[in-house]
Structure formats: C-alpha cells, structure tokens
Amino acid sequence: MAEVKVTLKKSLIGRKQDQIKTCQALGLTRPGRTVVKTRNAAIDGMLNKVLHLVEIEEVK
C-alpha cells in the first residue's frame, strides 16, 4: 500500500464541526502538523473531505 504525508495548512477555527473532527481523526490538531498515513479507501474519503485545508504528498 502507498503512504501519503498529510500536512495541515490552514487553521480549523471557524470550520464546520465535521471537518474539525475529520482532521482530529487524522491526527492534525494544529497548522503545520504533519502525519504519514497508509492510503486506503477510508483515508482517501477523509482527505477528500478536508482537501482544501491540507497538503498531500506521496511517500516513497
């Protein structure tokens, strides 16, 4: 499985509650925080929901 590096680029202040909870579930609690996740259908769906808040990079 491929891995992705996800970085929170924008603040969660003033965002919808479901977007905040999705970022928290990904481990992104404040701007600048980066996590590495194994890509699967669940992670892809979560990333799609907060795509405008994060930066995604493929990890080799």
Side-chain angles (χ1 to χ4, degrees):
M1 288 264 202
E3 289 189 334
V4 290
K5 183 164 62 168
V6 185
T7 304
L8 186 62
K9 288 297 182 179
K10 295 189 177 182
S11 174
L12 298 175
I13 296 172
R15 303 294 175 179
K16 293 182 181 178
Q17 193 64 31
D18 60 339
Q19 294 173 355
I20 294 170
K21 293 291 186 182
T22 300
C23 285
Q24 288 175 348
L26 286 168
L28 303 171
T29 54
R30 56 181 186 235
R33 177 76 43 106
T34 301
V35 294
V36 176
K37 295 288 183 182
T38 303
R39 189 165 224 162
N40 58 34
I43 297 296
D44 284 344
M46 294 169 84
L47 293 176
N48 191 35
K49 187 172 207 62
V50 294
L51 193 58
H52 58 289
L53 301 174
V54 299
E55 179 180 297
I56 304 168
E57 299 175 37
E58 292 288 330
V59 176
K60 295 183 179 182

